[in-house]
Amino acid sequence: MSDKRLPLKIAWGITGSGDYMPETVQVMKKIVERGDVKLAIFLSKSAVPVLEWYDLFKELKEISPKIMVEKGPNEPFIAGPLQVGKFKFLLVAPATANTVAKIVNGIADSLVTNAVSQAHKGNVPIYILPVDQETKTGKVTTLLPTGEKIELTIREVDLENFRKLKKMRGITVITQPQEIGEIIKRHISSSS
């Protein structure tokens, strides 16, 4: 009997925010290089121009040659495989304020929000990295494609949705891309 384990299969949804995008791509690149994780990457329509603006599309293709781009809420078909457990978990990183607002209000009209809805119904663990989070200052600093930093003020409505998301059953909110590595380690350990 072989001791070689099958790679952990993860569905990774990316929405159209530059906040945390470069950091998330770098974390996922390092994780995939280890060889114990296989990703199914799917992008919202809005993620495509953001990835291009940040010049990250090439790096994303190095992580996984197959990248699915949203054509509709159920196309490409990722919701079914998620719901029936073909993936160990669903990661949405980064998640825009719009995506979070839809999730907390039960709206599943995009590829990413429908994937969350169906994974939730199938009791598949969901990890979400919202770009708008509670901070001590009510502001967040993010990187522009040039590498420069910009400080953004978080709207109260987005903070309310962030708090609602944290209370949802079956969804774990993460606050930094670096947390993804620990989540994967836990899932790999539990699969042994």
Side-chain angles (χ1 to χ4, degrees), residues 12-33:
W12 176 23
I14 303 173
T15 68
S17 174
D19 300 350
Y20 298 117
M21 185 74 81
E23 300 93 330
T24 302
V25 170
Q26 290 309 310
V27 165
M28 296 308 281
K29 187 174 180 181
K30 287 178 185 169
I31 288 167
V32 168
E33 286 172 353

Side-chain angles (χ1 to χ4, degrees):
M1 174 154 269
S2 173
D3 191 33
K4 186 166 169 81
R5 293 184 211 154
L6 293 173
L8 189 70
K9 288 179 69 178
I10 301 166
W12 176 23
I14 303 173
T15 68
S17 174
D19 300 350
Y20 298 117
M21 185 74 81
E23 300 93 330
T24 302
V25 170
Q26 290 309 310
V27 165
M28 296 308 281
K29 187 174 180 181
K30 287 178 185 169
I31 288 167
V32 168
E33 286 172 353
R34 295 187 330 217
D36 54 358
V37 172
K38 185 175 178 187
L39 294 174
I41 301 174
F42 60 101
L43 311 177
S44 71
K45 291 175 190 173
S46 297
V48 175
V50 174
L51 284 160
E52 289 170 349
W53 194 44
Y54 276 83
D55 201 23
L56 291 170
F57 228 100
K58 182 181 174 196
E59 284 189 63
L60 202 61
K61 286 185 178 184
E62 290 171 10
I63 293 171
S64 177
K66 184 180 180 193
I67 299 170
M68 299 172 276
V69 178
E70 175 180 22
K71 293 182 179 122
N74 213 23
E75 189 181 356
F77 189 60
I78 190 78
L82 266 166
Q83 192 176 48
V84 298
K86 297 285 185 187
F87 298 96
K88 191 70 172 176
F89 64 84
L90 169 61
L91 170 68
V92 180
T96 62
N98 187 52
T99 297
V100 170
K102 288 180 176 189
I103 292 167
V104 301
N105 286 291
I107 300 169
D109 67 347
S110 72
L111 185 61
V112 173
T113 57
N114 191 41
V116 170
S117 173
Q118 297 309 311
H120 203 244
K121 290 176 183 181
N123 295 309
V124 173
I126 303 163
Y127 298 90
I128 300 178
L129 173 62
V131 296
D132 292 324
Q133 308 174 13
E134 249 172 321
T135 66
K136 291 178 182 176
T137 63
K139 297 180 184 291
V140 64
T141 302
T142 190
L143 293 175
L144 294 171
T146 61
E148 295 174 70
K149 292 181 179 181
I150 184 172
E151 188 174 76
L152 304 172
T153 302
I154 303 165
R155 303 178 314 163
E156 185 57 39
V157 67
D158 298 327
L159 287 174
E160 289 172 21
N161 288 331
F162 172 76
R163 292 178 196 120
K164 288 177 186 177
L165 186 68
K166 286 174 66 173
K167 292 178 183 177
M168 290 182 73
R169 176 194 61 79
I171 294 178
T172 302
V173 172
I174 58 177
T175 58
Q176 295 294 321
Q178 294 75 16
E179 293 175 54
I180 298 167
E182 287 304 313
I183 292 164
I184 290 172
K185 282 181 192 174
R186 279 197 310 268
H187 281 277
I188 289 173
S189 295
S190 70
S191 296
S192 315

